Amino acid sequence: MDPRKDFELSRRTVLVAGGATVVVTALPAAQVQAATPGNPAYAGSFSLSVNGAQRTVEVDTRTTLLDLLREHLKLTGSKKGCDHGQCGACTVMVNGERINSCLSLAVMHAGDEVTTIEGLGTTEQLHPMQAAFVKHDGYQCGYCTPGQICSAVAVLDEIKAGVPSHVTGDLTSSPRATPDEMRERMSGNICRCGAYSNIADAMAEVGGDQA
């Protein structure tokens, strides 16, 4: 008696076991080259705007936006903290909205406009949020600061655009830059040094007209 007959599995059985669903998303054929032992997931080249400059890059399909910025474009302001989207140190803005760049694949951003901490201001001309962080001592070790500042800028833009948060009481009116609103929206950016109150003061100064 063949014991394998009592335990026969097909590929379909494995894929749907336990109600699981497998979804496969393919890149356009024009962007994908055949995999080779030395080049398992090459995606060809694509272009995106980074801090106002058009950049054409060639990366492995598994490369995250964070690694593209840090390792390929040498924009090391955005930090790799947890690499799991839990600390916010890698926050950048894509088409004006903040994202955790460690969770986003670079190839997903062909044609997008990416702004990192390097694109917000310069040493000679700081962005108002950067200047406010300096004034209110909104940093200590500085590791989380680039992500904090990018997120803070995007938070005020969200409030200005009328995007509600979990603490917005009245969804029929535009939210204001109140302490509760800003703290809730910044909760995804972790500061191990605990400079939260100073960060809140910096944001309050910049977003004072929205309070």
Side-chain angles (χ1 to χ4, degrees), residues 91-93 96-99 120 127 129 133 146-165 167-168 174-189 199-200 202-204 206-211:
T91 303
V92 299
M93 290 177 283
E97 297 183 358
R98 56 189 173 134
I99 68 166
L120 284 180
H127 184 280
M129 189 65 74
F133 264 62
Q148 296 276 5
I149 292 177
C150 285
S151 194
V153 170
V155 160
L156 294 183
D157 287 343
E158 290 169 8
I159 293 174
K160 186 176 182 179
V163 179
S165 76
V167 299
T168 304
S174 298
R176 309 296 294 176
T178 63
D180 285 346
E181 281 283 358
M182 291 191 291
R183 287 176 183 275
E184 166 63 24
R185 294 168 190 263
M186 291 293 292
S187 61
N189 289 81
I199 292 170
M203 293 179 66
V206 178
D209 60 335
Q210 301 179 46

Side-chain angles (χ1 to χ4, degrees), residues 2-206:
D2 188 350
R4 290 176 295 180
K5 292 183 178 181
D6 296 328
F7 191 70
E8 293 183 355
L9 290 177
S10 67
R11 179 190 300 178
R12 183 175 184 82
T13 303
V14 172
L15 292 179
V16 301
T21 303
V22 175
V23 179
V24 178
T25 302
L27 289 169
Q31 293 185 6
V32 181
Q33 292 185 353
T36 64
N39 193 22
Y42 179 71
S45 64
F46 64 94
S47 297
L48 73 169
S49 174
V50 181
N51 298 330
Q54 200 69 17
R55 307 295 296 264
T56 298
V57 296
E58 295 183 357
V59 294
D60 186 301
T61 56
R62 298 164 294 185
T63 302
T64 64
L65 178 58
L66 176 60
D67 284 340
L68 169 65
L69 295 171
R70 288 183 56 82
E71 306 299 333
H72 295 262
L73 301 183
K74 307 306 178 185
L75 296 171
T76 56
S78 305
K79 296 298 187 284
K80 181 177 286 192
C82 64
D83 209 22
H84 287 79
Q86 297 175 345
C87 72
C90 68
T91 303
V92 299
M93 290 177 283
V94 176
N95 300 329
E97 297 183 358
R98 56 189 173 134
I99 68 166
N100 290 326
S101 59
C102 74
L103 295 182
S104 189
L105 294 174
V107 294
M108 297 167 58
H109 297 289
D112 284 348
E113 296 183 3
V114 179
T115 302
T116 71
I117 189 66
E118 291 91 345
L120 284 180
T122 64
T123 304
E124 294 75 22
Q125 187 172 0
L126 296 176
H127 184 280
M129 189 65 74
Q130 292 174 313
F133 264 62
V134 173
K135 176 181 176 180
H136 293 279
D137 197 21
Y139 57 88
Q140 289 184 38
C141 78
Y143 194 86
C144 74
T145 305
Q148 296 276 5
I149 292 177
C150 285
S151 194
V153 170
V155 160
L156 294 183
D157 287 343
E158 290 169 8
I159 293 174
K160 186 176 182 179
V163 179
S165 76
H166 289 295
V167 299
T168 304
D170 184 1
L171 298 182
T172 64
S173 62
S174 298
R176 309 296 294 176
T178 63
D180 285 346
E181 281 283 358
M182 291 191 291
R183 287 176 183 275
E184 166 63 24
R185 294 168 190 263
M186 291 293 292
S187 61
N189 289 81
I190 308 302
C191 174
R192 187 172 182 177
C193 301
Y196 297 115
S197 60
N198 297 351
I199 292 170
D201 289 343
M203 293 179 66
E205 176 173 311
V206 178

